[in-house]
């Protein structure tokens, strides 16, 4: 037997038993963002490597060790997109959507990162995200957060997520804070672990979200980002908090929340759950006022978020928050006897013509009455329409109710509405 070829580690199939949950989650997301007036944007899965290096930052986990990068046949360095924001800004700049305009956009699709696969963490995963351009005031940050809060409500998981919030301030304020943090941490250089030492001069803010408890103890006395915020950012953050309070959104301010990507300034936030084990961040976002310019456009403020669909699907599945998902078929057409198969195929098409919302499965490949009824049952259909030689010559059909205790009926083929109508 030939050797079976398997999927790439960390890249999963989504089987027909799983796709209904995915579709329900995706439809919910689409419906909610549409209710805020957001429009969809789509862009390629592959971009030039330079795009991610310049936006996400050279000394971030993603660019340092997680990207799928390769040379194409022309020798150009390409990368499978590890996230969507950089691509969105690239596309927006390229098509003149951003400067001096207001845009509320959303996207959804696969992303690729070479990480260690585990529950909630994969090498091909899916993100849904929103990006708002052209608005700098904190009400746009608040709107984005309100929108995400509505998503959790619609998905039935609002009780299982909590919001953490912080402000990174302006780039200048962050640079000043960075210097203060480095000077502080230099006193403890001999106590830092390998990761933190590596980050000390490349990306010291990342040390703030270390999982190492000894370093967390050192950080208790570290200078605080909030003490270095510029006045405008302080005001911006205060107003955002007021908006959230007014809207009844609960949050905690986490001074150590810095996010892994370089492009954020001012607001950063994460929605976190305890129901997924170690992979607790469901959704993350923030403001990135400098990115459009950094990628060659004219300065345009922006704010957005991305959420991981796998983590959402895991949550709604394990918490069973979604309504029971219906079977894929409503009506099964069976044909038993000589020369009835043409008539059966026509009948199935007739049902699809007259009742476009009904999902009809036609028995294929013949078989005994018993076998066909078994197929009808397995299909999940509620109704079987059965054609035998008698029915065909009388232009009638036998109706069998598969899930209800009701006697079967024989009706005219012109009277299907009496059973399929409502
Ligand atoms: P994490 O801290 O879990 O690695 P991150 O900070 O790298 O997340 P972002 O780049 O902010 O994540 O992506 C936004 C969201 O996408 C995450 O909150 C998470 O829900 C999801 N996500 C990120 N990486 C993965 C992955 N490898 N597999 C599945 N989902 C992921
Ligand atoms: Mg990560």
């Amino acid at each position: 037997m030939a050797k079976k070829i398997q999927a790439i580690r960390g890249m999963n199939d989504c089987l027909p038993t799983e796709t209904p949950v995915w579709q329900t989650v995706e439809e919910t997301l689409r419906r909610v963002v549409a209710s805020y007036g957001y429009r969809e944007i789509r862009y390629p899965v592959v971009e030039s490597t330079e795009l991610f290096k310049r936006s996400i930052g050279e000394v971030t986990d993603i660019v340092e060790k997680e990207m799928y990068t390769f040379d194409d046949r022309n020798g150009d360095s390409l990368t499978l997109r590890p996230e969507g924001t950089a691509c969105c800004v690239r596309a927006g700049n390229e098509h003149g959507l951003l400067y001096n305009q207001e845009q509320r956009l959303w996207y959804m699709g696969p992303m690729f990162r070479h990480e260690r696969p585990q529950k909630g963490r994969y090498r091909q995963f899916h993100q849904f995200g929103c990006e708002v351009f052209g608005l700098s005031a904190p009400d746009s940050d608040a709107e984005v957060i309100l929108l995400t809060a509505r998503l959790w409500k619609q998905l039935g998981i609002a009780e299982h997520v909590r919001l953490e919030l912080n402000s990174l301030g302006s780039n200048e304020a962050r640079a000043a804070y960075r210097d203060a943090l480095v000077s502080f941490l230099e006193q403890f250089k001999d106590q830092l672990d390998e990761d933190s030492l590596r980050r000390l001069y490349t990306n010291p803010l990342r040390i703030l979200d270390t999982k190492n408890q000894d370093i967390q103890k050192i950080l208790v006395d570290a200078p605080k980002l909030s003490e270095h915020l510029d006045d405008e950012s302080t005001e911006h953050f205060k107003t955002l908090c007021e908006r959230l309070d007014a809207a009844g959104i609960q949050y905690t301010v986490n001074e150590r929340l810095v996010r892994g990507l370089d492009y954020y300034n001012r607001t950063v936030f994460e929605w976190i759950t305890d129901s997924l084990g170690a992979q607790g961040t469901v959704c993350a976002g923030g403001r990135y006022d400098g990115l459009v310019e950094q990628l060659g456009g004219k300065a345009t403020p922006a704010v957005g978020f991305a959420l991981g669909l796998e983590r959402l699907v895991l949550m709604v599945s394990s918490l069973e928050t979604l309504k029971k998902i219906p079977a894929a078929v409503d009506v099964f057409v069976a044909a038993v006897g000589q020369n009835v198969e043409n008539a059966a195929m026509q009948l199935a098409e007739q049902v699809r013509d007259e009742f476009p919302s009904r999902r009809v499965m036609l028995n294929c490949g013949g078989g005994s009455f018993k076998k066909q009824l078994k197929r009808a049952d397995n299909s999940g259909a509620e109704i079987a329409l059965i054609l035998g030689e008698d029915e065909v010559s009388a232009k009638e059909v036998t109706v069998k109710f598969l899930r209800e205790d009701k006697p079967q009926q024989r009706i005219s083929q012109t009277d299907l509405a009496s059973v399929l109508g409502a």
Side-chain angles (χ1 to χ4, degrees), residues 113 115 120-122 125 127 259 281-284 306 308 311:
R113 297 184 194 175
E115 302 195 69
R121 190 177 295 286
Y122 312 97
F125 62 101
Q127 282 186 339
R259 307 283 308 120
T281 307
V282 181
C283 169
R311 293 185 193 178

Side-chain angles (χ1 to χ4, degrees), residues 150-379:
R150 184 174 295 274
L151 293 176
W152 319 140
K153 246 188 258 160
Q154 297 287 314
L155 291 166
I157 56 171
E159 311 288 283
H160 303 274
V161 288
R162 61 176 190 277
L163 175 62
E164 293 194 355
L165 205 60
N166 195 18
S167 176
L168 301 177
S170 65
N171 287 343
E172 298 73 37
R174 193 149 55 127
Y177 173 66
R178 191 187 143 113
D179 291 346
L181 182 65
V182 172
S183 316
F184 170 82
L185 286 171
E186 275 175 335
Q187 307 169 68
F188 302 94
K189 235 173 155 174
D190 52 337
Q191 296 170 47
L192 294 183
D193 60 11
E194 203 186 315
D195 250 3
S196 305
L197 268 180
R198 194 167 49 85
R199 286 174 171 154
L200 186 57
Y201 299 109
T202 55
N203 202 348
L205 266 61
R206 283 312 301 279
I207 300 176
L208 294 178
D209 60 22
T210 178
K211 302 259 178 331
N212 182 328
Q213 296 200 346
D214 296 331
I215 299 177
Q216 284 179 356
K217 273 186 209 140
I218 298 174
L219 287 168
V220 171
D221 298 319
K224 289 201 156 53
L225 188 49
S226 58
E227 292 157 2
H228 286 77
L229 283 197
D230 50 298
D231 292 346
E232 277 181 33
S233 295
T234 306
E235 192 56 34
H236 193 274
F237 192 57
K238 200 173 133 239
T239 311
L240 169 60
C241 292
E242 281 168 18
R243 294 275 181 282
L244 296 178
D245 291 337
I249 304 275
Q250 290 182 358
Y251 56 87
T252 43
V253 176
N254 174 359
E255 290 245 22
R256 300 238 185 105
L257 182 66
V258 291
R259 307 283 308 120
L261 293 73
D262 266 4
Y263 51 63
Y264 288 115
N265 67 305
R266 293 199 171 155
T267 314
V268 287
F269 66 90
E270 285 190 0
W271 287 95
I272 300 167
T273 181
D274 294 324
S275 61
L276 285 179
Q279 269 54 252
T281 307
V282 181
C283 169
R287 181 163 280 286
Y288 51 96
D289 294 331
L291 184 60
V292 174
E293 198 174 16
Q294 202 177 313
L295 290 177
K298 291 194 182 150
T300 305
V303 59
F305 71 86
L307 60 81
L309 281 167
E310 280 77 5
R311 293 185 193 178
L312 272 192
V313 167
L314 276 169
M315 275 187 86
V316 297
S317 304
S318 66
L319 298 165
E320 295 180 12
T321 61
L322 296 180
K323 277 199 252 92
K324 195 172 172 300
I325 293 169
V329 175
D330 304 309
V331 179
F332 191 92
V333 176
V336 191
Q338 296 293 311
N339 304 319
V340 293
E341 285 175 357
N342 278 341
M345 191 167 266
Q346 281 163 20
L347 179 69
E349 290 296 312
Q350 183 192 337
V351 176
R352 295 182 185 113
D353 282 343
E354 292 179 16
F355 311 95
S357 65
R358 294 290 196 165
R359 296 154 311 162
V360 186
M361 183 177 281
L362 173 65
N363 182 75
C364 287
S368 66
F369 182 63
K370 199 172 153 203
K371 187 162 180 188
Q372 294 195 32
L373 269 193
K374 178 108 189 138
R375 285 181 186 145
D377 193 40
N378 289 343
S379 76

